[in-house]
PDB file of all heavy atoms in Angstrom:
ATOM      1  N   VAL A1205      -3.203  -3.449   2.429  1.00 96.00           N
ATOM      2  CA  VAL A1205      -2.202  -2.423   2.142  1.00 96.00           C
ATOM      3  C   VAL A1205      -0.882  -2.671   2.886  1.00 96.00           C
ATOM      4  O   VAL A1205      -0.006  -1.807   2.910  1.00 96.00           O
ATOM      5  CB  VAL A1205      -2.742  -1.020   2.456  1.00 96.00           C
ATOM      6  CG1 VAL A1205      -3.913  -0.692   1.543  1.00 96.00           C
ATOM      7  CG2 VAL A1205      -3.162  -0.896   3.919  1.00 96.00           C
ATOM      8  N   ALA A1206      -0.737  -3.822   3.476  1.00 96.00           N
ATOM      9  CA  ALA A1206       0.491  -4.200   4.188  1.00 96.00           C
ATOM     10  C   ALA A1206       0.474  -5.727   4.357  1.00 96.00           C
ATOM     11  O   ALA A1206      -0.595  -6.330   4.384  1.00 96.00           O
ATOM     12  CB  ALA A1206       0.562  -3.519   5.555  1.00 96.00           C
ATOM     13  N   PRO A1207       1.668  -6.334   4.443  1.00 97.00           N
ATOM     14  CA  PRO A1207       2.991  -5.725   4.426  1.00 97.00           C
ATOM     15  C   PRO A1207       3.444  -5.341   3.019  1.00 97.00           C
ATOM     16  O   PRO A1207       2.863  -5.785   2.026  1.00 97.00           O
ATOM     17  CB  PRO A1207       3.873  -6.827   5.002  1.00 97.00           C
ATOM     18  CG  PRO A1207       3.180  -8.092   4.586  1.00 97.00           C
ATOM     19  CD  PRO A1207       1.713  -7.783   4.663  1.00 97.00           C
ATOM     20  N   VAL A1208       4.490  -4.511   2.967  1.00 96.00           N
ATOM     21  CA  VAL A1208       5.004  -4.000   1.699  1.00 96.00           C
ATOM     22  C   VAL A1208       6.499  -4.279   1.617  1.00 96.00           C
ATOM     23  O   VAL A1208       7.246  -3.953   2.540  1.00 96.00           O
ATOM     24  CB  VAL A1208       4.773  -2.472   1.583  1.00 96.00           C
ATOM     25  CG1 VAL A1208       5.175  -1.993   0.190  1.00 96.00           C
ATOM     26  CG2 VAL A1208       3.328  -2.108   1.884  1.00 96.00           C
ATOM     27  N   ARG A1209       6.919  -4.901   0.540  1.00 94.00           N
ATOM     28  CA  ARG A1209       8.349  -5.055   0.258  1.00 94.00           C
ATOM     29  C   ARG A1209       8.787  -3.855  -0.593  1.00 94.00           C
ATOM     30  O   ARG A1209       8.132  -3.525  -1.591  1.00 94.00           O
ATOM     31  CB  ARG A1209       8.612  -6.352  -0.505  1.00 94.00           C
ATOM     32  CG  ARG A1209       8.466  -7.608   0.351  1.00 94.00           C
ATOM     33  CD  ARG A1209       9.783  -7.953   1.034  1.00 94.00           C
ATOM     34  NE  ARG A1209       9.622  -9.079   1.964  1.00 94.00           N
ATOM     35  CZ  ARG A1209       9.738 -10.358   1.627  1.00 94.00           C
ATOM     36  NH1 ARG A1209       9.972 -10.706   0.370  1.00 94.00           N
ATOM     37  NH2 ARG A1209       9.612 -11.303   2.549  1.00 94.00           N
ATOM     38  N   GLU A1210       9.879  -3.222  -0.206  1.00 94.00           N
ATOM     39  CA  GLU A1210      10.292  -1.975  -0.853  1.00 94.00           C
ATOM     40  C   GLU A1210      10.438  -2.135  -2.362  1.00 94.00           C
ATOM     41  O   GLU A1210      10.038  -1.257  -3.140  1.00 94.00           O
ATOM     42  CB  GLU A1210      11.602  -1.475  -0.241  1.00 94.00           C
ATOM     43  CG  GLU A1210      11.860   0.004  -0.497  1.00 94.00           C
ATOM     44  CD  GLU A1210      10.728   0.892  -0.010  1.00 94.00           C
ATOM     45  OE1 GLU A1210      10.280   0.719   1.141  1.00 94.00           O
ATOM     46  OE2 GLU A1210      10.274   1.750  -0.799  1.00 94.00           O
ATOM     47  N   GLU A1211      10.993  -3.260  -2.807  1.00 92.00           N
ATOM     48  CA  GLU A1211      11.241  -3.438  -4.238  1.00 92.00           C
ATOM     49  C   GLU A1211       9.945  -3.549  -5.045  1.00 92.00           C
ATOM     50  O   GLU A1211       9.950  -3.330  -6.266  1.00 92.00           O
ATOM     51  CB  GLU A1211      12.118  -4.677  -4.482  1.00 92.00           C
ATOM     52  CG  GLU A1211      11.523  -5.993  -4.007  1.00 92.00           C
ATOM     53  CD  GLU A1211      11.913  -6.346  -2.581  1.00 92.00           C
ATOM     54  OE1 GLU A1211      12.189  -5.411  -1.791  1.00 92.00           O
ATOM     55  OE2 GLU A1211      11.921  -7.547  -2.248  1.00 92.00           O
ATOM     56  N   ASN A1212       8.852  -3.875  -4.372  1.00 92.00           N
ATOM     57  CA  ASN A1212       7.569  -4.000  -5.076  1.00 92.00           C
ATOM     58  C   ASN A1212       6.540  -2.977  -4.594  1.00 92.00           C
ATOM     59  O   ASN A1212       5.356  -3.108  -4.887  1.00 92.00           O
ATOM     60  CB  ASN A1212       7.003  -5.413  -4.906  1.00 92.00           C
ATOM     61  CG  ASN A1212       7.767  -6.440  -5.728  1.00 92.00           C
ATOM     62  OD1 ASN A1212       8.298  -6.108  -6.781  1.00 92.00           O
ATOM     63  ND2 ASN A1212       7.845  -7.661  -5.249  1.00 92.00           N
ATOM     64  N   ARG A1213       6.996  -1.953  -3.858  1.00 93.00           N
ATOM     65  CA  ARG A1213       6.072  -0.956  -3.296  1.00 93.00           C
ATOM     66  C   ARG A1213       5.258  -0.251  -4.396  1.00 93.00           C
ATOM     67  O   ARG A1213       4.045  -0.170  -4.314  1.00 93.00           O
ATOM     68  CB  ARG A1213       6.844   0.075  -2.467  1.00 93.00           C
ATOM     69  CG  ARG A1213       5.951   1.151  -1.845  1.00 93.00           C
ATOM     70  CD  ARG A1213       6.772   2.136  -1.024  1.00 93.00           C
ATOM     71  NE  ARG A1213       7.359   1.495   0.147  1.00 93.00           N
ATOM     72  CZ  ARG A1213       6.728   1.371   1.318  1.00 93.00           C
ATOM     73  NH1 ARG A1213       5.499   1.846   1.470  1.00 93.00           N
ATOM     74  NH2 ARG A1213       7.318   0.768   2.325  1.00 93.00           N
ATOM     75  N   GLN A1214       5.956   0.262  -5.416  1.00 92.00           N
ATOM     76  CA  GLN A1214       5.229   0.995  -6.462  1.00 92.00           C
ATOM     77  C   GLN A1214       4.332   0.066  -7.267  1.00 92.00           C
ATOM     78  O   GLN A1214       3.245   0.468  -7.704  1.00 92.00           O
ATOM     79  CB  GLN A1214       6.212   1.715  -7.395  1.00 92.00           C
ATOM     80  CG  GLN A1214       5.547   2.767  -8.283  1.00 92.00           C
ATOM     81  CD  GLN A1214       4.809   3.837  -7.485  1.00 92.00           C
ATOM     82  OE1 GLN A1214       5.356   4.389  -6.518  1.00 92.00           O
ATOM     83  NE2 GLN A1214       3.564   4.116  -7.846  1.00 92.00           N
ATOM     84  N   LEU A1215       4.769  -1.176  -7.448  1.00 91.00           N
ATOM     85  CA  LEU A1215       3.946  -2.163  -8.151  1.00 91.00           C
ATOM     86  C   LEU A1215       2.618  -2.355  -7.409  1.00 91.00           C
ATOM     87  O   LEU A1215       1.546  -2.414  -8.028  1.00 91.00           O
ATOM     88  CB  LEU A1215       4.701  -3.486  -8.235  1.00 91.00           C
ATOM     89  CG  LEU A1215       4.218  -4.531  -9.242  1.00 91.00           C
ATOM     90  CD1 LEU A1215       4.423  -4.026 -10.667  1.00 91.00           C
ATOM     91  CD2 LEU A1215       4.975  -5.836  -9.044  1.00 91.00           C
ATOM     92  N   LEU A1216       2.690  -2.432  -6.074  1.00 92.00           N
ATOM     93  CA  LEU A1216       1.479  -2.589  -5.269  1.00 92.00           C
ATOM     94  C   LEU A1216       0.628  -1.329  -5.317  1.00 92.00           C
ATOM     95  O   LEU A1216      -0.596  -1.410  -5.489  1.00 92.00           O
ATOM     96  CB  LEU A1216       1.857  -2.920  -3.825  1.00 92.00           C
ATOM     97  CG  LEU A1216       0.696  -2.992  -2.819  1.00 92.00           C
ATOM     98  CD1 LEU A1216      -0.323  -4.051  -3.226  1.00 92.00           C
ATOM     99  CD2 LEU A1216       1.216  -3.276  -1.414  1.00 92.00           C
ATOM    100  N   ILE A1217       1.239  -0.159  -5.185  1.00 92.00           N
ATOM    101  CA  ILE A1217       0.479   1.095  -5.213  1.00 92.00           C
ATOM    102  C   ILE A1217      -0.260   1.241  -6.537  1.00 92.00           C
ATOM    103  O   ILE A1217      -1.445   1.601  -6.571  1.00 92.00           O
ATOM    104  CB  ILE A1217       1.420   2.294  -4.960  1.00 92.00           C
ATOM    105  CG1 ILE A1217       1.886   2.298  -3.496  1.00 92.00           C
ATOM    106  CG2 ILE A1217       0.724   3.613  -5.298  1.00 92.00           C
ATOM    107  CD1 ILE A1217       2.941   3.337  -3.185  1.00 92.00           C
ATOM    108  N   ASP A1218       0.431   0.966  -7.637  1.00 90.00           N
ATOM    109  CA  ASP A1218      -0.213   1.068  -8.947  1.00 90.00           C
ATOM    110  C   ASP A1218      -1.388   0.103  -9.047  1.00 90.00           C
ATOM    111  O   ASP A1218      -2.451   0.447  -9.594  1.00 90.00           O
ATOM    112  CB  ASP A1218       0.786   0.775 -10.065  1.00 90.00           C
ATOM    113  CG  ASP A1218       1.824   1.878 -10.221  1.00 90.00           C
ATOM    114  OD1 ASP A1218       1.612   2.979  -9.684  1.00 90.00           O
ATOM    115  OD2 ASP A1218       2.864   1.620 -10.876  1.00 90.00           O
ATOM    116  N   TYR A1219      -1.205  -1.101  -8.529  1.00 89.00           N
ATOM    117  CA  TYR A1219      -2.276  -2.097  -8.584  1.00 89.00           C
ATOM    118  C   TYR A1219      -3.461  -1.691  -7.713  1.00 89.00           C
ATOM    119  O   TYR A1219      -4.621  -1.826  -8.122  1.00 89.00           O
ATOM    120  CB  TYR A1219      -1.742  -3.465  -8.170  1.00 89.00           C
ATOM    121  CG  TYR A1219      -2.792  -4.549  -8.231  1.00 89.00           C
ATOM    122  CD1 TYR A1219      -3.444  -4.835  -9.426  1.00 89.00           C
ATOM    123  CD2 TYR A1219      -3.151  -5.266  -7.095  1.00 89.00           C
ATOM    124  CE1 TYR A1219      -4.410  -5.823  -9.492  1.00 89.00           C
ATOM    125  CE2 TYR A1219      -4.119  -6.253  -7.154  1.00 89.00           C
ATOM    126  CZ  TYR A1219      -4.748  -6.523  -8.354  1.00 89.00           C
ATOM    127  OH  TYR A1219      -5.724  -7.491  -8.415  1.00 89.00           O
ATOM    128  N   LEU A1220      -3.184  -1.186  -6.510  1.00 91.00           N
ATOM    129  CA  LEU A1220      -4.270  -0.750  -5.631  1.00 91.00           C
ATOM    130  C   LEU A1220      -5.134   0.302  -6.315  1.00 91.00           C
ATOM    131  O   LEU A1220      -6.350   0.368  -6.101  1.00 91.00           O
ATOM    132  CB  LEU A1220      -3.706  -0.185  -4.326  1.00 91.00           C
ATOM    133  CG  LEU A1220      -3.045  -1.177  -3.371  1.00 91.00           C
ATOM    134  CD1 LEU A1220      -2.401  -0.441  -2.204  1.00 91.00           C
ATOM    135  CD2 LEU A1220      -4.040  -2.203  -2.864  1.00 91.00           C
ATOM    136  N   GLY A1221      -4.514   1.120  -7.159  1.00 87.00           N
ATOM    137  CA  GLY A1221      -5.259   2.150  -7.871  1.00 87.00           C
ATOM    138  C   GLY A1221      -6.282   1.599  -8.836  1.00 87.00           C
ATOM    139  O   GLY A1221      -7.247   2.294  -9.188  1.00 87.00           O
ATOM    140  N   THR A1222      -6.114   0.360  -9.272  1.00 84.00           N
ATOM    141  CA  THR A1222      -7.082  -0.239 -10.198  1.00 84.00           C
ATOM    142  C   THR A1222      -8.223  -0.924  -9.461  1.00 84.00           C
ATOM    143  O   THR A1222      -9.173  -1.381 -10.091  1.00 84.00           O
ATOM    144  CB  THR A1222      -6.404  -1.284 -11.115  1.00 84.00           C
ATOM    145  OG1 THR A1222      -6.056  -2.445 -10.346  1.00 84.00           O
ATOM    146  CG2 THR A1222      -5.157  -0.715 -11.761  1.00 84.00           C
ATOM    147  N   ARG A1223      -8.124  -1.022  -8.158  1.00 86.00           N
ATOM    148  CA  ARG A1223      -9.111  -1.723  -7.359  1.00 86.00           C
ATOM    149  C   ARG A1223      -9.913  -0.729  -6.520  1.00 86.00           C
ATOM    150  O   ARG A1223      -9.488   0.403  -6.284  1.00 86.00           O
ATOM    151  CB  ARG A1223      -8.415  -2.743  -6.443  1.00 86.00           C
ATOM    152  CG  ARG A1223      -7.594  -3.799  -7.194  1.00 86.00           C
ATOM    153  CD  ARG A1223      -8.483  -4.806  -7.889  1.00 86.00           C
ATOM    154  NE  ARG A1223      -9.310  -5.474  -6.905  1.00 86.00           N
ATOM    155  CZ  ARG A1223      -8.898  -6.523  -6.177  1.00 86.00           C
ATOM    156  NH1 ARG A1223      -7.695  -7.010  -6.347  1.00 86.00           N
ATOM    157  NH2 ARG A1223      -9.713  -7.083  -5.297  1.00 86.00           N
ATOM    158  N   LEU A1224     -11.057  -1.162  -6.025  1.00 83.00           N
ATOM    159  CA  LEU A1224     -11.915  -0.289  -5.232  1.00 83.00           C
ATOM    160  C   LEU A1224     -11.161   0.332  -4.067  1.00 83.00           C
ATOM    161  O   LEU A1224     -11.308   1.521  -3.760  1.00 83.00           O
ATOM    162  CB  LEU A1224     -13.116  -1.087  -4.710  1.00 83.00           C
ATOM    163  CG  LEU A1224     -14.075  -0.340  -3.779  1.00 83.00           C
ATOM    164  CD1 LEU A1224     -14.694   0.855  -4.486  1.00 83.00           C
ATOM    165  CD2 LEU A1224     -15.150  -1.291  -3.261  1.00 83.00           C
ATOM    166  N   ILE A1225     -10.339  -0.457  -3.408  1.00 88.00           N
ATOM    167  CA  ILE A1225      -9.610  -0.016  -2.228  1.00 88.00           C
ATOM    168  C   ILE A1225      -8.788   1.243  -2.492  1.00 88.00           C
ATOM    169  O   ILE A1225      -8.609   2.087  -1.615  1.00 88.00           O
ATOM    170  CB  ILE A1225      -8.697  -1.167  -1.740  1.00 88.00           C
ATOM    171  CG1 ILE A1225      -8.018  -0.847  -0.430  1.00 88.00           C
ATOM    172  CG2 ILE A1225      -7.658  -1.523  -2.760  1.00 88.00           C
ATOM    173  CD1 ILE A1225      -7.188  -2.008   0.099  1.00 88.00           C
ATOM    174  N   GLY A1226      -8.294   1.403  -3.743  1.00 84.00           N
ATOM    175  CA  GLY A1226      -7.442   2.537  -4.074  1.00 84.00           C
ATOM    176  C   GLY A1226      -8.061   3.525  -5.034  1.00 84.00           C
ATOM    177  O   GLY A1226      -7.350   4.288  -5.695  1.00 84.00           O
ATOM    178  N   SER A1227      -9.387   3.529  -5.132  1.00 86.00           N
ATOM    179  CA  SER A1227     -10.066   4.405  -6.086  1.00 86.00           C
ATOM    180  C   SER A1227     -10.238   5.832  -5.579  1.00 86.00           C
ATOM    181  O   SER A1227     -10.759   6.691  -6.282  1.00 86.00           O
ATOM    182  CB  SER A1227     -11.432   3.811  -6.446  1.00 86.00           C
ATOM    183  OG  SER A1227     -12.246   3.670  -5.288  1.00 86.00           O
ATOM    184  N   ILE A1228      -9.802   6.106  -4.351  1.00 91.00           N
ATOM    185  CA  ILE A1228      -9.897   7.453  -3.780  1.00 91.00           C
ATOM    186  C   ILE A1228      -9.083   8.409  -4.655  1.00 91.00           C
ATOM    187  O   ILE A1228      -7.950   8.097  -5.046  1.00 91.00           O
ATOM    188  CB  ILE A1228      -9.355   7.454  -2.331  1.00 91.00           C
ATOM    189  CG1 ILE A1228     -10.101   6.407  -1.499  1.00 91.00           C
ATOM    190  CG2 ILE A1228      -9.487   8.828  -1.689  1.00 91.00           C
ATOM    191  CD1 ILE A1228      -9.429   6.077  -0.179  1.00 91.00           C
ATOM    192  N   PRO A1229      -9.617   9.596  -4.980  1.00 89.00           N
ATOM    193  CA  PRO A1229      -8.931  10.506  -5.907  1.00 89.00           C
ATOM    194  C   PRO A1229      -7.761  11.258  -5.269  1.00 89.00           C
ATOM    195  O   PRO A1229      -7.783  12.477  -5.085  1.00 89.00           O
ATOM    196  CB  PRO A1229     -10.051  11.453  -6.336  1.00 89.00           C
ATOM    197  CG  PRO A1229     -10.980  11.488  -5.176  1.00 89.00           C
ATOM    198  CD  PRO A1229     -10.960  10.089  -4.617  1.00 89.00           C
ATOM    199  N   VAL A1230      -6.731  10.518  -4.894  1.00 90.00           N
ATOM    200  CA  VAL A1230      -5.515  11.077  -4.290  1.00 90.00           C
ATOM    201  C   VAL A1230      -4.329  10.325  -4.864  1.00 90.00           C
ATOM    202  O   VAL A1230      -4.484   9.276  -5.498  1.00 90.00           O
ATOM    203  CB  VAL A1230      -5.522  10.907  -2.747  1.00 90.00           C
ATOM    204  CG1 VAL A1230      -6.653  11.702  -2.117  1.00 90.00           C
ATOM    205  CG2 VAL A1230      -5.608   9.431  -2.359  1.00 90.00           C
ATOM    206  N   ASN A1231      -3.140  10.845  -4.622  1.00 89.00           N
ATOM    207  CA  ASN A1231      -1.930  10.089  -4.923  1.00 89.00           C
ATOM    208  C   ASN A1231      -1.700   9.138  -3.758  1.00 89.00           C
ATOM    209  O   ASN A1231      -1.383   9.564  -2.645  1.00 89.00           O
ATOM    210  CB  ASN A1231      -0.743  11.033  -5.092  1.00 89.00           C
ATOM    211  CG  ASN A1231      -0.848  11.870  -6.352  1.00 89.00           C
ATOM    212  OD1 ASN A1231      -1.277  11.372  -7.401  1.00 89.00           O
ATOM    213  ND2 ASN A1231      -0.463  13.133  -6.263  1.00 89.00           N
ATOM    214  N   LEU A1232      -1.902   7.866  -4.001  1.00 90.00           N
ATOM    215  CA  LEU A1232      -1.858   6.882  -2.926  1.00 90.00           C
ATOM    216  C   LEU A1232      -0.471   6.801  -2.301  1.00 90.00           C
ATOM    217  O   LEU A1232       0.542   6.808  -3.007  1.00 90.00           O
ATOM    218  CB  LEU A1232      -2.262   5.504  -3.455  1.00 90.00           C
ATOM    219  CG  LEU A1232      -3.684   5.372  -3.994  1.00 90.00           C
ATOM    220  CD1 LEU A1232      -3.910   3.956  -4.520  1.00 90.00           C
ATOM    221  CD2 LEU A1232      -4.712   5.698  -2.918  1.00 90.00           C
ATOM    222  N   GLU A1233      -0.462   6.712  -0.988  1.00 89.00           N
ATOM    223  CA  GLU A1233       0.778   6.541  -0.248  1.00 89.00           C
ATOM    224  C   GLU A1233       0.593   5.435   0.783  1.00 89.00           C
ATOM    225  O   GLU A1233      -0.476   5.296   1.366  1.00 89.00           O
ATOM    226  CB  GLU A1233       1.174   7.841   0.471  1.00 89.00           C
ATOM    227  CG  GLU A1233       1.485   8.991  -0.471  1.00 89.00           C
ATOM    228  CD  GLU A1233       1.812  10.265   0.298  1.00 89.00           C
ATOM    229  OE1 GLU A1233       1.580  10.296   1.528  1.00 89.00           O
ATOM    230  OE2 GLU A1233       2.297  11.222  -0.328  1.00 89.00           O
ATOM    231  N   LEU A1234       1.646   4.673   0.997  1.00 93.00           N
ATOM    232  CA  LEU A1234       1.643   3.607   2.004  1.00 93.00           C
ATOM    233  C   LEU A1234       2.801   3.884   2.969  1.00 93.00           C
ATOM    234  O   LEU A1234       3.894   3.347   2.798  1.00 93.00           O
ATOM    235  CB  LEU A1234       1.800   2.231   1.348  1.00 93.00           C
ATOM    236  CG  LEU A1234       0.799   1.870   0.246  1.00 93.00           C
ATOM    237  CD1 LEU A1234       1.119   0.485  -0.326  1.00 93.00           C
ATOM    238  CD2 LEU A1234      -0.628   1.910   0.767  1.00 93.00           C
ATOM    239  N   PRO A1235       2.569   4.699   3.993  1.00 93.00           N
ATOM    240  CA  PRO A1235       3.661   5.100   4.893  1.00 93.00           C
ATOM    241  C   PRO A1235       3.960   4.069   5.971  1.00 93.00           C
ATOM    242  O   PRO A1235       4.037   4.389   7.154  1.00 93.00           O
ATOM    243  CB  PRO A1235       3.140   6.411   5.489  1.00 93.00           C
ATOM    244  CG  PRO A1235       1.660   6.230   5.522  1.00 93.00           C
ATOM    245  CD  PRO A1235       1.319   5.416   4.296  1.00 93.00           C
ATOM    246  N   TRP A1236       4.078   2.831   5.565  1.00 95.00           N
ATOM    247  CA  TRP A1236       4.393   1.734   6.478  1.00 95.00           C
ATOM    248  C   TRP A1236       5.002   0.601   5.670  1.00 95.00           C
ATOM    249  O   TRP A1236       4.956   0.606   4.430  1.00 95.00           O
ATOM    250  CB  TRP A1236       3.120   1.247   7.198  1.00 95.00           C
ATOM    251  CG  TRP A1236       1.960   1.078   6.256  1.00 95.00           C
ATOM    252  CD1 TRP A1236       1.799   0.109   5.300  1.00 95.00           C
ATOM    253  CD2 TRP A1236       0.832   1.958   6.118  1.00 95.00           C
ATOM    254  NE1 TRP A1236       0.637   0.322   4.599  1.00 95.00           N
ATOM    255  CE2 TRP A1236       0.020   1.443   5.079  1.00 95.00           C
ATOM    256  CE3 TRP A1236       0.417   3.113   6.792  1.00 95.00           C
ATOM    257  CZ2 TRP A1236      -1.167   2.060   4.694  1.00 95.00           C
ATOM    258  CZ3 TRP A1236      -0.762   3.718   6.408  1.00 95.00           C
ATOM    259  CH2 TRP A1236      -1.543   3.192   5.368  1.00 95.00           C
ATOM    260  N   THR A1237       5.569  -0.347   6.355  1.00 96.00           N
ATOM    261  CA  THR A1237       6.153  -1.513   5.685  1.00 96.00           C
ATOM    262  C   THR A1237       5.517  -2.809   6.195  1.00 96.00           C
ATOM    263  O   THR A1237       5.025  -3.613   5.413  1.00 96.00           O
ATOM    264  CB  THR A1237       7.672  -1.553   5.893  1.00 96.00           C
ATOM    265  OG1 THR A1237       8.242  -0.371   5.319  1.00 96.00           O
ATOM    266  CG2 THR A1237       8.279  -2.779   5.209  1.00 96.00           C
ATOM    267  N   SER A1238       5.501  -2.990   7.507  1.00 96.00           N
ATOM    268  CA  SER A1238       4.967  -4.229   8.072  1.00 96.00           C
ATOM    269  C   SER A1238       3.469  -4.114   8.344  1.00 96.00           C
ATOM    270  O   SER A1238       2.896  -3.020   8.373  1.00 96.00           O
ATOM    271  CB  SER A1238       5.691  -4.558   9.379  1.00 96.00           C
ATOM    272  OG  SER A1238       5.329  -3.627  10.395  1.00 96.00           O
ATOM    273  N   PHE A1239       2.847  -5.258   8.556  1.00 96.00           N
ATOM    274  CA  PHE A1239       1.431  -5.299   8.929  1.00 96.00           C
ATOM    275  C   PHE A1239       1.235  -4.578  10.265  1.00 96.00           C
ATOM    276  O   PHE A1239       0.284  -3.811  10.444  1.00 96.00           O
ATOM    277  CB  PHE A1239       0.973  -6.757   9.026  1.00 96.00           C
ATOM    278  CG  PHE A1239      -0.511  -6.952   8.952  1.00 96.00           C
ATOM    279  CD1 PHE A1239      -1.182  -6.843   7.742  1.00 96.00           C
ATOM    280  CD2 PHE A1239      -1.247  -7.258  10.085  1.00 96.00           C
ATOM    281  CE1 PHE A1239      -2.558  -7.035   7.667  1.00 96.00           C
ATOM    282  CE2 PHE A1239      -2.618  -7.449  10.013  1.00 96.00           C
ATOM    283  CZ  PHE A1239      -3.273  -7.336   8.808  1.00 96.00           C
ATOM    284  N   LYS A1240       2.152  -4.798  11.187  1.00 96.00           N
ATOM    285  CA  LYS A1240       2.064  -4.167  12.508  1.00 96.00           C
ATOM    286  C   LYS A1240       2.158  -2.653  12.404  1.00 96.00           C
ATOM    287  O   LYS A1240       1.421  -1.921  13.083  1.00 96.00           O
ATOM    288  CB  LYS A1240       3.169  -4.693  13.416  1.00 96.00           C
ATOM    289  CG  LYS A1240       3.105  -4.163  14.840  1.00 96.00           C
ATOM    290  CD  LYS A1240       4.196  -4.781  15.703  1.00 96.00           C
ATOM    291  CE  LYS A1240       4.102  -4.274  17.137  1.00 96.00           C
ATOM    292  NZ  LYS A1240       5.161  -4.885  18.004  1.00 96.00           N
ATOM    293  N   GLU A1241       3.046  -2.157  11.543  1.00 97.00           N
ATOM    294  CA  GLU A1241       3.176  -0.704  11.371  1.00 97.00           C
ATOM    295  C   GLU A1241       1.885  -0.104  10.831  1.00 97.00           C
ATOM    296  O   GLU A1241       1.486   0.997  11.235  1.00 97.00           O
ATOM    297  CB  GLU A1241       4.332  -0.389  10.428  1.00 97.00           C
ATOM    298  CG  GLU A1241       5.702  -0.606  11.046  1.00 97.00           C
ATOM    299  CD  GLU A1241       6.829  -0.489  10.038  1.00 97.00           C
ATOM    300  OE1 GLU A1241       6.561  -0.523   8.814  1.00 97.00           O
ATOM    301  OE2 GLU A1241       7.981  -0.396  10.477  1.00 97.00           O
ATOM    302  N   TYR A1242       1.241  -0.814   9.924  1.00 96.00           N
ATOM    303  CA  TYR A1242      -0.047  -0.344   9.401  1.00 96.00           C
ATOM    304  C   TYR A1242      -1.085  -0.268  10.513  1.00 96.00           C
ATOM    305  O   TYR A1242      -1.767   0.754  10.686  1.00 96.00           O
ATOM    306  CB  TYR A1242      -0.525  -1.271   8.287  1.00 96.00           C
ATOM    307  CG  TYR A1242      -1.958  -1.054   7.866  1.00 96.00           C
ATOM    308  CD1 TYR A1242      -2.373   0.158   7.341  1.00 96.00           C
ATOM    309  CD2 TYR A1242      -2.902  -2.079   8.005  1.00 96.00           C
ATOM    310  CE1 TYR A1242      -3.701   0.356   6.958  1.00 96.00           C
ATOM    311  CE2 TYR A1242      -4.220  -1.891   7.623  1.00 96.00           C
ATOM    312  CZ  TYR A1242      -4.624  -0.666   7.102  1.00 96.00           C
ATOM    313  OH  TYR A1242      -5.926  -0.480   6.731  1.00 96.00           O
ATOM    314  N   LEU A1243      -1.211  -1.322  11.311  1.00 96.00           N
ATOM    315  CA  LEU A1243      -2.194  -1.311  12.398  1.00 96.00           C
ATOM    316  C   LEU A1243      -1.847  -0.257  13.443  1.00 96.00           C
ATOM    317  O   LEU A1243      -2.743   0.400  13.992  1.00 96.00           O
ATOM    318  CB  LEU A1243      -2.281  -2.693  13.043  1.00 96.00           C
ATOM    319  CG  LEU A1243      -2.729  -3.848  12.135  1.00 96.00           C
ATOM    320  CD1 LEU A1243      -2.894  -5.124  12.961  1.00 96.00           C
ATOM    321  CD2 LEU A1243      -4.020  -3.530  11.402  1.00 96.00           C
ATOM    322  N   ASN A1244      -0.562  -0.082  13.706  1.00 95.00           N
ATOM    323  CA  ASN A1244      -0.143   0.913  14.693  1.00 95.00           C
ATOM    324  C   ASN A1244      -0.431   2.336  14.229  1.00 95.00           C
ATOM    325  O   ASN A1244      -0.530   3.251  15.057  1.00 95.00           O
ATOM    326  CB  ASN A1244       1.349   0.775  15.003  1.00 95.00           C
ATOM    327  CG  ASN A1244       1.660  -0.434  15.854  1.00 95.00           C
ATOM    328  OD1 ASN A1244       0.761  -1.067  16.402  1.00 95.00           O
ATOM    329  ND2 ASN A1244       2.928  -0.784  15.949  1.00 95.00           N
TER     330      ASN A1244
END
């Protein structure tokens, strides 16, 4: 779920929704950009 480039953020979110990782019944959000921000 990281890192995320802003121009492709929604493309990644939409794709995650088709995979097991994003199958949770919520509106997926990625409140980070870098790998470090995700781990932090």
